[in-house]
């Protein structure tokens, strides 16, 4: 990563951290309040020790000295109670931040998997399970050490000022010097931490490649080259680790300047301080402030920020880069896309026929071209289809003609290389996944059901559907016996225990319940028997809205109002009877699927 990239990453981490703290101002305020109470022993320790020594033990009043020490013990008890409260307040800040990051990772993974041309992100699970938890833990550690330093060291310095401003200056000067050295080295430390992480990843990648392909490596005589490549990665990681180890010397220097030097200065200056009127108890109290307040707080800050803090910056930066923010509703990876609100007014497609009532077509696909690969033959070229609201279209064609590709283009799962698709006048290319879900429901050949109750599976696209509505849908599609066998709506669904046809039936009922005005059945009933398939398709035909069926039986085409034939040439559209007369491809399909209609056509 370049220096500019490192600074940009650190700035992004800073903004995300500040936003997380601002979003939980009340919890941060409670944490600060309890931290102030927790710092009470650090504030009073030196002063109480000074009074115990000067007014008690050195004056021969043992009871007075013990009384001041008892007061210090009471302050320690109060601080201990406050420590427990600080952890509770810390959880109120850290856990919501962790939940926000987990939600961000999940949203980004789902967006990448469902956007046109997207694919599942195999690294998302690692970010969710390991990196998010690492950020949560290091964020908590940073808050603890930072607020500990601010309150404990601050309280000790206030106590030193109360004892003697000169003593406070003698302690404060080396403390500031140690902090300056540490803060000046932090950017270099962060850069070396990133280098170390990248070196480890490169070593893992090279070693994995070498191990999985070792037979081919031996066969082609490339063992020396591969060993040298892996060895270089090992050397890079070792060099990065040695550099990190050397950077620890900077932390030691900071601790020496800010933590140990003030003690040495106080001891060396003690005679001079006593000569100018400082009591022995005050000198001892100043040493207590430094040894129990300033020094431990600085040590915790340097070790915490120099260790966990660097891991926090690097890990959170990786999450933020892999899962860009979706603030403002802009889809990830498409910064110029505009979300489509639920009540958006559809825009008529250019050149598409608009009915007399002014409503745009339910589907308007124009001049679609799509190929799998830059040099591949187009699966669809300059294809188009326009459907009015309420139409029922069957799409047929030989294997590989592009039927499922057309369904994916119409549903927005694939983006065409040329052409456009509008659903109800809304451009599919500009619609985020949540808007597309309101426009269409796609049921693929391999139906997806998940472990859970039958009701949860069926209501997935319409959570507000009541039991009567769900029961009516089950009855309409002939899924009542399946629901009864599973134990009703509360019955548990185990996908592995269902047949392919049963999974298709559950997915069909789910789409039937969907409020989307367009349903696309992509061979979604191929595992059902003809009678069950007919019942499902007839139910969808009666359902308000538009229906597109990717057919695998001629009966699906016969039931449709119109049929679209894809045969590698220009698509042909017509009724079943019209296509028997006009399309040789359709007649061949009919003859393959059902001999009787084909014979009737030939006669």
């Amino acid at each position: 990563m370049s220096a500019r990239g490192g600074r940009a990453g650190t700035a992004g981490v800073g903004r995300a951290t500040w936003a997380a703290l601002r979003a939980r101002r009340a919890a941060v305020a409670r944490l600060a309040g309890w931290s102030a109470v927790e710092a009470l022993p650090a504030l009073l320790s030196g002063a109480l020790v000074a009074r115990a020594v000067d007014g008690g033990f050195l004056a021969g009043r043992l009871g007075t000295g013990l009384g001041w020490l008892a007061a210090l013990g009471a302050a320690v008890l109060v601080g201990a109670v406050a420590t427990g409260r600080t952890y509770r307040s810390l959880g109120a800040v850290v856990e919501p931040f962790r939940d926000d990051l987990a939600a961000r990772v999940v949203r980004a993974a789902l967006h990448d998997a469902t956007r046109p041309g997207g694919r599942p992100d195999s690294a998302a699970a690692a970010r969710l399970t390991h990196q998010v938890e690492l950020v949560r833990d290091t964020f908590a550690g940073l808050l603890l050490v930072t607020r500990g330093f601010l309150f404990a060291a601050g309280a000790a310095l206030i106590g030193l000022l109360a004892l003697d401003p000169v003593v406070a200056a003698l302690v404060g000067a080396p403390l500031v010097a140690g902090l300056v050295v540490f803060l000046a080295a932090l950017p270099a430390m962060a850069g070396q931490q990133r280098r170390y992480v990248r070196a480890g990843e490169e070593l893992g990648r090279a070693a994995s490649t070498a191990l999985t392909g070792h037979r081919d490596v031996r066969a082609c005589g490339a063992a020396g080259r591969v060993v040298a490549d892996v060895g270089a990665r090992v050397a890079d990681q070792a060099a990065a680790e040695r550099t990190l180890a050397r950077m620890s010397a900077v932390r030691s220097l900071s601790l020496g300047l800010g933590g140990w030097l003030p003690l040495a200065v106080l001891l060396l200056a003690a005679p001079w301080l006593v000569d100018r009127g400082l009591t022995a108890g005050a000198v001892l109290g100043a040493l207590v402030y430094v040894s129990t307040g300033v020094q431990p707080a600085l040590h915790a800050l340097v070790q915490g920020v120099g260790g966990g803090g660097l891991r926090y910056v690097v890990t959170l930066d990786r999450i933020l880069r892999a899962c860009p923010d979706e603030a403002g509703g802009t889809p990830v990876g498409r910064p110029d896309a505009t979300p489509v609100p639920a009540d958006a007014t559809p825009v008529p497609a250019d050149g598409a026929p608009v009915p007399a009532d002014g409503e745009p077509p339910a589907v308007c696909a124009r001049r679609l071209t799509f190929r799998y690969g830059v040099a591949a033959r187009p699966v669809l070229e300059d294809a188009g289809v326009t459907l009015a609201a309420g139409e029922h279209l069957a799409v047929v064609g030989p294997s590989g003609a592009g039927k499922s590709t057309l369904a994916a283009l119409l549903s927005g799962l694939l983006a065409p290389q040329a052409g456009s698709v509008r659903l109800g006048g809304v451009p599919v290319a500009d619609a985020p996944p949540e808007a597309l879900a309101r426009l269409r429901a796609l049921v693929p050949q391999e139906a997806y059901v998940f472990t859970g109750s039958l009701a949860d599976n069926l209501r997935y696209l319409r959570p507000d559907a009541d039991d009567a509505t769900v029961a009516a849908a089950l009855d309409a599609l002939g899924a009542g016996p399946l629901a009864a066998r599973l134990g009703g709506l509360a019955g548990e669904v185990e996908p592995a225990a269902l047949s392919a046809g049963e999974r298709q039936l559950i997915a069909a009922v789910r789409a039937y319940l969907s409020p989307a005005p367009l349903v696309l059945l992509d061979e979604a009933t191929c595992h059902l028997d003809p009678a069950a398939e007919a019942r499902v398709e007839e139910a969808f035909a009666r359902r308000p809205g538009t229906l597109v069926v990717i057919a695998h039986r001629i009966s699906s085409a016969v039931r449709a109002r119109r049929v679209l034939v894809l045969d590698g040439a220009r698509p042909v559209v017509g009724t079943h009877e019209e296509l028997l007369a006009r399309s040789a491809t359709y007649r061949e399909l009919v003859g393959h699927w059902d001999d009787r209609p084909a014979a009737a056509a030939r006669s």
Side-chain angles (χ1 to χ4, degrees):
M1 180 183 293
S2 66
R4 179 179 299 177
R7 287 193 295 270
T10 303
V13 169
R15 287 192 297 270
T17 304
W18 179 244
L21 294 175
R22 286 185 60 193
R24 295 156 190 96
R25 288 187 289 269
V28 172
R30 287 194 298 272
L31 177 62
W34 286 114
S35 297
V37 177
E38 184 187 23
L40 189 63
L43 177 66
L44 300 177
S45 58
L48 294 177
V49 167
R51 289 179 178 273
V53 171
D54 292 334
F57 302 127
L58 291 181
R61 294 191 290 270
L62 180 63
T64 300
L66 292 176
W68 286 116
L69 293 182
L72 178 58
V76 171
L77 289 177
V78 172
V81 173
T83 298
R85 298 290 182 174
T86 58
Y87 278 96
R88 183 177 301 178
S89 301
L90 181 70
V93 177
V94 172
E95 293 303 324
F97 182 49
R98 182 259 182 202
D99 294 342
D100 290 347
L101 284 179
R104 182 174 186 150
V105 171
V106 171
R107 283 197 304 268
L110 290 176
H111 181 274
D112 286 342
T114 57
R115 66 181 173 82
R119 62 182 60 187
D121 181 7
S122 59
R127 283 194 294 273
L128 185 61
T129 58
H130 175 64
Q131 295 182 11
V132 169
E133 294 303 320
L134 181 60
V135 167
R136 189 270 301 270
D137 293 342
T138 52
F139 182 51
L142 278 177
L143 282 180
L144 279 178
V145 300
T146 303
R147 62 96 209 176
F149 176 79
L150 292 176
F151 286 94
L157 289 175
I158 292 173
L160 286 169
L161 278 173
L163 285 177
D164 191 321
V166 175
V167 174
L170 290 176
V171 172
L175 175 63
V176 171
L179 284 175
V180 168
V181 169
F182 176 66
L183 294 176
L186 268 182
M189 291 181 183
Q192 291 303 325
Q193 184 73 29
R194 290 189 182 94
R195 179 190 170 197
Y196 175 72
V197 171
R198 290 200 305 273
E201 291 177 347
E202 290 297 328
L203 173 59
R205 187 177 298 112
S208 176
T209 302
L211 290 174
T212 55
H214 70 281
R215 292 183 178 178
D216 295 335
V217 170
R218 292 291 300 273
C220 64
R225 179 178 176 181
V226 172
V227 168
D229 181 63
V230 175
R233 300 294 185 272
V234 172
D236 289 343
Q237 188 189 38
E241 193 160 3
R242 284 193 296 269
T243 303
L244 274 182
R246 286 194 295 269
M247 297 299 290
S248 65
V250 177
R251 297 201 294 269
S252 299
L253 176 61
S254 301
L255 289 173
L257 285 175
W260 292 103
L261 186 58
L263 282 175
V265 169
L266 281 179
L267 291 174
L268 292 173
W272 174 73
L273 292 172
V274 171
D275 288 342
R276 59 183 299 275
L278 198 68
T279 65
V283 173
L284 182 59
L287 291 172
V288 169
Y289 275 130
V290 174
S291 61
T292 65
V294 173
Q295 191 183 72
L298 180 65
H299 184 273
L301 179 73
V302 170
Q303 296 298 334
V305 175
L310 296 181
R311 290 192 294 274
Y312 172 78
V313 170
V314 172
T315 308
L316 181 56
D317 179 45
R318 296 179 76 82
I319 292 176
L320 296 178
R321 290 176 182 273
C323 310
D325 194 8
E326 297 184 75
T330 302
V332 177
R334 291 195 292 171
D336 57 345
T338 303
V340 180
D343 57 351
T345 301
V347 179
D350 296 336
V354 178
D357 58 7
E359 289 296 320
V363 176
C364 182
R366 298 172 56 81
R367 309 185 70 84
L368 294 179
T369 296
F370 182 86
R371 55 171 57 87
Y372 293 96
V374 177
R377 178 184 65 82
V379 179
L380 295 173
E381 187 171 16
D382 202 29
V385 61
T386 300
L387 298 177
E391 277 212 65
H392 178 182
L393 176 75
V395 181
V396 301
S399 178
K403 303 185 297 297
S404 293
T405 300
L406 177 62
L409 290 170
L410 295 181
S411 62
L413 296 184
L414 292 178
Q417 280 85 37
S420 64
V421 177
R422 291 174 182 260
L423 301 182
V426 177
V428 167
D430 293 339
E434 60 270 18
L436 285 177
R438 294 192 294 267
L439 297 172
R440 53 86 180 115
L442 171 67
V443 185
Q445 179 176 352
E446 296 302 323
Y448 174 73
V449 297
F450 52 85
T451 300
S453 70
L454 178 61
D456 288 341
N457 271 274
L458 299 180
R459 291 190 175 111
Y460 184 75
L461 299 177
R462 188 180 170 186
D464 61 341
D466 57 29
D467 288 354
T469 302
V470 176
L474 288 167
D475 182 65
L477 277 73
L482 173 60
R485 185 177 68 81
L486 294 174
L489 295 180
E492 287 297 310
V493 173
E494 296 182 13
L498 299 176
S499 68
E502 289 171 334
R503 291 194 295 270
Q504 284 189 334
L505 200 53
I506 291 175
V509 176
R510 177 194 300 154
Y512 184 88
L513 287 167
S514 165
L518 170 66
V519 173
L520 300 108
L521 303 179
D522 184 8
E523 299 197 18
T525 57
C526 63
H527 296 297
L528 300 178
D529 60 62
E533 178 185 64
R535 183 163 183 174
V536 168
E537 289 186 5
E538 288 168 357
F540 274 102
R542 293 190 301 269
R543 175 186 181 273
T546 306
L547 176 64
V548 176
V549 178
I550 307 300
H552 69 285
R553 292 190 180 109
I554 193 58
S555 54
S556 296
V558 173
R559 282 189 291 267
R561 297 180 190 174
R562 286 199 296 164
V563 181
L564 171 64
V565 182
L566 299 178
D567 63 353
R570 192 168 186 83
V572 181
V573 180
T575 65
H576 171 70
E577 292 75 14
E578 290 171 346
L579 291 174
L580 285 173
R582 293 168 46 200
S583 173
T585 299
Y586 189 70
R587 288 194 296 272
E588 291 177 6
L589 289 172
V590 169
H592 174 71
W593 281 337
D594 188 333
D595 290 337
R596 287 173 297 172
R602 286 192 296 270
S603 64

